[in-house]
Amino acid sequence: APYWEQYHYNPIGDLTSELSTPASGAATTTTDTYPATGSAQPHAVASQQVSGPSGTSNTGYTDNADGDLTTTSASATAGESLS
């Protein structure tokens, strides 16, 4: 079945959004945000919003100084601590 994807990037090459459109039904949009340029982890996703036919969810991510993912927090679930 045919479908298509559309990708958008910021000027420094980070993927900022993806639009997934199925052959039938509604599209799903994923939008990523990043820390400010010059931050310790400027290319690590700081938050992500997914909007589609079943609603919208938001997830936040925290990294340590080494760039390891340490916590996540989602609008639909309690936050997770990763160790």
Side-chain angles (χ1 to χ4, degrees):
Y3 65 93
W4 60 93
E5 304 286 324
Q6 192 174 46
Y7 303 96
H8 298 270
Y9 299 86
N10 65 17
I12 60 172
D14 297 323
L15 178 65
T16 56
S17 68
E18 175 184 356
L19 176 64
S20 300
T21 306
S24 63
T28 298
T29 302
T30 303
T31 305
D32 297 333
T33 59
Y34 297 86
T37 302
S39 299
Q41 303 297 331
H43 300 286
V45 175
S47 65
Q48 184 174 70
Q49 181 179 64
V50 179
S51 300
S54 60
T56 299
S57 67
N58 295 290
T59 305
Y61 304 96
T62 305
D63 300 307
N64 64 19
D66 293 329
D68 302 319
L69 180 64
T70 56
T71 59
T72 64
S73 60
S75 61
T77 62
E80 281 185 282
S81 180
L82 308 171
S83 14

